[in-house]
């Protein structure tokens, strides 16, 4: 199960690779099979390189099939400080903030910015389609390791990285031929299929609650909208309905922490979210700059180790936005690589 795989990664017996859409970036208008496929094959590429280089299994998790809601603090330009609904102001006109397609629409007009509960139904149907596409790709032959040359994204074909990937793929091909030569059946499903899981930010509790079910055999509650729930913000650690919800379901959960997080607040959250200290239940996603990580992360890690807490630490290397043009956010690749190096150093 996913919990068991995450538990092994927590004990240093594997890695977790998580990638896809940030909160609020999935949209109804931009839904395409090619987009889902490209994210899936990029993660396949990355996981294969990590497995080959690290000699450890990699748990593949896609941030998709539910990323329709963005956090109010990130979506609003005003209106949050007084405790009211987040708002946005343009040219002297103030309207409700855009909170993602599950809540309202992005055009700046009163009709579009009015929350529409029917959007939750549409988000559910699109998420179901995304999951069906991922099932087809992961179990239908696309993940066959003999096709690893086909996983290279078109834009990377003529780049230095694309060339290095082709060299790597040739090594894997050679290994597969050797396995076949000594009698290992590379047509087995271990070589042709892969396990792929999904996660999304748990921001709209009305949606998550409607999809939460009690297992008739175990009596445990599960959020059926995703296999892996993510609480997106350490600002919600204290007396938060989000913390109460994710702590009450049996799904694996993750908590994103920034440089604002203190060892005391983290320990309190771990106690609430994983009171039985079950390996694989709780992951902590570190969302810090390299400079902050060197200073702030070691005390958090030491606090968890001192209390013998089973925590799976995950780096979020997309900390800094370089440029924002419309809805396109560019990331600094060298900055991401620097952050990963600091994370592993810690």
């Amino acid at each position: 199960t996913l919990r068991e795989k995450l538990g092994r990664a927590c004990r240093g017996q594997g890695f977790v690779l998580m990638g896809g859409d940030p909160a609020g970036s999935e949209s109804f208008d931009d839904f395409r099979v090619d987009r889902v496929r490209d994210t899936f094959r990029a993660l396949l590429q990355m996981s294969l390189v990590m497995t080959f280089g690290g000699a450890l299994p990699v748990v593949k998790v896609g941030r998709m099939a539910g990323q329709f809601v963005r956090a109010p603090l990130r979506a609003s330009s005003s209106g949050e400080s007084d405790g009211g609904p987040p708002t946005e102001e343009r040219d002297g006109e103030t309207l409700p903030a855009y909170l993602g397609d599950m809540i309202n629409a992005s055009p700046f007009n009163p009709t579009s910015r009015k929350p529409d509960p029917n959007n939750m139904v549409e988000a559910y149907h699109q998420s179901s389609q995304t999951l069906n596409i991922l099932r087809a790709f992961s179990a239908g032959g696309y993940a066959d390791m003999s096709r690893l040359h086909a996983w290279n994204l078109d834009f990377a074909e003529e780049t230095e990285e694309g060339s290095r990937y082709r060299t790597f793929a040739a090594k894997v091909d050679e290994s597969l031929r050797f396995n076949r030569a000594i009698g290992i059946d590379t047509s087995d499903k271990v070589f042709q299929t892969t396990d792929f899981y999904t996660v999304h930010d748990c921001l709209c509790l009305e949606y998550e609650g409607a999809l939460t079910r009690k297992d008739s055999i175990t009596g445990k509650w599960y959020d059926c909208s995703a296999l892996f729930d993510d609480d997106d913000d350490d600002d919600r650690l204290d007396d938060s309905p989000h913390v109460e919800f994710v702590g009450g379901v049996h799904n694996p959960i993750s908590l994103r922490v920034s440089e604002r997080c203190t060892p005391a607040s983290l320990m309190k959250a771990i106690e609430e979210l994983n009171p039985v200290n079950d390996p694989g239940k709780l992951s902590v996603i570190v969302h810090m700059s390299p400079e902050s990580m060197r200073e702030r992360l070691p005390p958090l890690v030491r606090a968890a180790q001192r209390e013998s807490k089973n925590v799976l630490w995950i780096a979020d290397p997309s900390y800094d936005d370089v440029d924002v043009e419309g809805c396109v956010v560019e990331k600094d690749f060298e900055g991401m690589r620097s952050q990963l190096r600091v994370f592993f150093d810690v």
Side-chain angles (χ1 to χ4, degrees), residues 162-204:
S163 177
R164 291 170 61 187
Y165 176 77
R166 287 191 295 273
T167 301
F168 162 77
K171 293 181 180 179
V172 177
D173 273 340
E174 185 178 345
S175 299
L176 291 174
R177 289 195 299 270
F178 174 78
N179 286 332
R180 287 192 290 268
I182 62 176
I184 296 177
D185 183 10
T186 58
S187 64
D188 187 87
K189 69 175 185 178
V190 172
F191 293 90
Q192 295 189 339
T193 65
T194 189
D195 292 328
F196 191 85
Y197 305 95
T198 60
V199 59
H200 64 251
D201 296 84
C202 184
L203 295 173
C204 183

Side-chain angles (χ1 to χ4, degrees), residues 282-297:
L282 179 63
S283 302
V284 174
I285 300 177
V286 183
H287 186 70
M288 302 180 189
S289 67
E291 297 76 17
S292 296
M293 190 179 292
R294 288 190 186 277
E295 178 184 357
R296 302 286 186 176
L297 182 57

Side-chain angles (χ1 to χ4, degrees), residues 298-319:
L300 300 180
V301 174
R302 284 195 293 267
Q305 291 175 337
R306 186 169 53 249
E307 300 295 330
S308 300
K309 298 299 183 182
N310 290 310
V311 175
L312 175 60
W313 299 92
I314 300 176
D316 179 6
S318 56
Y319 180 79

Side-chain angles (χ1 to χ4, degrees), residues 48-239:
L48 188 62
V49 172
M50 291 172 63
T51 302
F52 192 85
L56 287 171
V58 175
V59 183
K60 295 172 283 295
V61 182
R63 299 184 64 84
M64 55 203 336
Q67 292 288 75
F68 294 100
V69 185
R70 59 178 61 186
L73 284 174
R74 295 178 186 178
S76 62
S77 57
S78 64
E80 190 69 20
S81 58
D82 60 0
T87 59
E88 180 180 350
E89 183 176 343
R90 295 186 191 177
D91 299 326
E93 183 179 9
T94 301
L95 293 175
Y98 171 57
L99 299 179
D101 279 11
M102 186 184 287
I103 307 299
N104 52 11
S106 61
F108 192 77
N109 60 70
T111 302
S112 298
R113 293 300 176 89
K114 182 180 179 180
D116 185 353
N118 292 315
N119 288 6
M120 287 193 285
V121 178
E122 187 169 353
Y124 170 80
H125 288 305
Q126 183 170 314
S127 297
S128 298
Q129 293 180 61
T130 300
L131 292 174
N132 287 334
I133 294 168
L134 290 171
R135 290 189 191 100
F137 282 135
S138 61
Y142 192 85
D144 188 341
M145 282 205 292
S146 64
R147 290 178 46 87
L148 76 169
H149 287 284
W151 298 347
N152 213 359
L153 296 173
D154 297 336
F155 73 86
E157 282 289 346
E158 305 302 325
T159 65
E160 179 183 352
E161 288 78 11
S163 177
R164 291 170 61 187
Y165 176 77
R166 287 191 295 273
T167 301
F168 162 77
K171 293 181 180 179
V172 177
D173 273 340
E174 185 178 345
S175 299
L176 291 174
R177 289 195 299 270
F178 174 78
N179 286 332
R180 287 192 290 268
I182 62 176
I184 296 177
D185 183 10
T186 58
S187 64
D188 187 87
K189 69 175 185 178
V190 172
F191 293 90
Q192 295 189 339
T193 65
T194 189
D195 292 328
F196 191 85
Y197 305 95
T198 60
V199 59
H200 64 251
D201 296 84
C202 184
L203 295 173
C204 183
L205 294 183
E206 293 82 359
Y207 178 81
E208 307 300 337
L211 294 174
T212 300
R213 301 288 185 272
K214 187 176 183 179
D215 190 321
S216 59
I217 298 176
T218 65
K220 296 175 180 177
W221 291 90
Y222 289 88
D223 182 2
C224 299
S225 68
L227 290 169
F228 199 150
D229 284 334
D230 183 14
D231 192 7
D232 181 62
D233 198 338
D234 52 12
D235 282 337
R236 290 194 293 267
L237 291 182
D238 295 325
D239 301 322

